[in-house]
């Protein structure tokens, strides 16, 4: 069942990428007066077909999840987190189910390629740490939009996000990646304890004073 959910989730990710590419092609085509109307119509048709495929596939995955009581409970825990809707929960569930449970928080971060690594240029010139991006790109991608949404809509996550930018001097994308790491920690703790996520752990008065 876990592999079936992951296969469907990855197919959904591929279709979403194709849909984005097609929408970009449509936008470019509509900016050019020489683009024939039939080509624009075909692009609209392709997007509509992709939307239909995505909707049908998501529903099939939801049916698979609903048929398994434990999977359904895990899915409900995921969508209880601010920033994670059904589409994001399917992607996270698909990648999370096939990974081993006996890992520490740092190992989960490394699995997602969200760990920071020091890069060097020459023998003595150090650059700022960058994401390794060496882990599971599907898991990393699945965390991005939920982290961005949580940084906008959850007061605690938003406070943490602003603190990282305003007090720690991080760029916006760096702050989002930091939120992604904390979100992954929170998801792991939530699924391990089978309890709802507590976003108050994202930010504390101690951090504000740092």
């Amino acid at each position: 069942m876990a592999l079936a959910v992951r296969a469907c989730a990855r197919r959904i990710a591929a279709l979403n990428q194709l849909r984005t590419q097609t929408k970009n092609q449509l936008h470019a085509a509509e900016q050019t007066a020489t683009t024939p109307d039939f080509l624009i119509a075909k692009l609209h048709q392709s997007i509509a077909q992709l939307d239909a495929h995505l909707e049908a596939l998501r529903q099939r995955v939801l049916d698979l999840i609903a048929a398994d009581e434990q999977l359904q409970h895990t899915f409900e825990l995921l969508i209880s987190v601010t920033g994670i809707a059904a589409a994001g929960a399917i992607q996270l569930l698909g990648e999370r189910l096939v990974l081993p449970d006996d890992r520490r928080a740092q190992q989960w971060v490394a699995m997602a390629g969200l760990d920071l690594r020091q890069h060097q240029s020459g023998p003595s010139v150090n650059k700022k740490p960058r994401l390794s991006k060496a882990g599971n790109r599907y898991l990393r991608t699945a965390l991005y939009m939920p982290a961005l949404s949580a940084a906008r809509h959850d007061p605690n996550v938003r406070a943490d996000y602003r603190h990282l930018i305003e007090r720690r001097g991080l760029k916006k994308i760096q702050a989002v990646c930091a939120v992604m790491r904390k979100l992954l920690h929170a998801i792991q703790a939530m699924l391990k304890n089978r309890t709802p996520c507590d976003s108050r752990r994202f930010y504390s008065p101690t951090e504000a004073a740092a």
Side-chain angles (χ1 to χ4, degrees), residues 1 60-72 75:
M1 181 70 75
R60 293 296 297 270
V61 180
L62 291 174
D63 291 341
L64 280 177
I65 294 170
D68 186 296
E69 185 176 350
Q70 185 173 0
L71 282 184
Q72 182 63 28
F75 179 80

Side-chain angles (χ1 to χ4, degrees), residues 9 15 24 26 33 49 92 135 149 158 163 174 182 192-193:
L15 288 173
N24 289 339
L26 173 63
Q49 289 173 342
L92 287 167
S149 180
R158 183 168 63 247
H163 171 73
Q174 293 173 321
K182 290 189 177 183
K192 179 180 179 180
N193 301 320

Side-chain angles (χ1 to χ4, degrees), residues 20-123:
T20 298
Q21 291 171 348
T22 307
K23 290 189 74 174
N24 289 339
Q25 291 168 3
L26 173 63
H27 177 73
E30 289 178 332
Q31 303 307 308
T32 305
T34 57
T35 304
D37 291 341
F38 71 82
L39 179 55
I40 291 178
K42 280 293 184 181
L43 288 169
H44 277 290
Q45 183 182 29
S46 294
I47 293 170
Q49 289 173 342
L50 286 168
D51 285 339
H53 289 329
L54 282 164
E55 180 61 30
L57 188 50
R58 286 196 188 104
Q59 188 55 56
R60 293 296 297 270
V61 180
L62 291 174
D63 291 341
L64 280 177
I65 294 170
D68 186 296
E69 185 176 350
Q70 185 173 0
L71 282 184
Q72 182 63 28
H73 183 231
T74 301
F75 179 80
E76 289 171 359
L77 282 173
L78 285 170
I79 61 175
S80 72
V81 179
T82 300
I84 301 180
I90 289 172
Q91 298 299 319
L92 287 167
L93 190 61
E95 298 307 318
R96 171 61 184 80
L97 287 175
V98 298
L99 295 175
D101 292 318
D102 58 341
R103 293 292 185 273
R104 298 188 302 274
Q106 296 86 345
Q107 290 175 309
W108 281 108
V109 169
M111 283 181 178
L114 292 171
D115 53 324
L116 296 175
R117 294 186 181 178
Q118 191 73 38
H119 291 258
Q120 291 188 332
S121 177

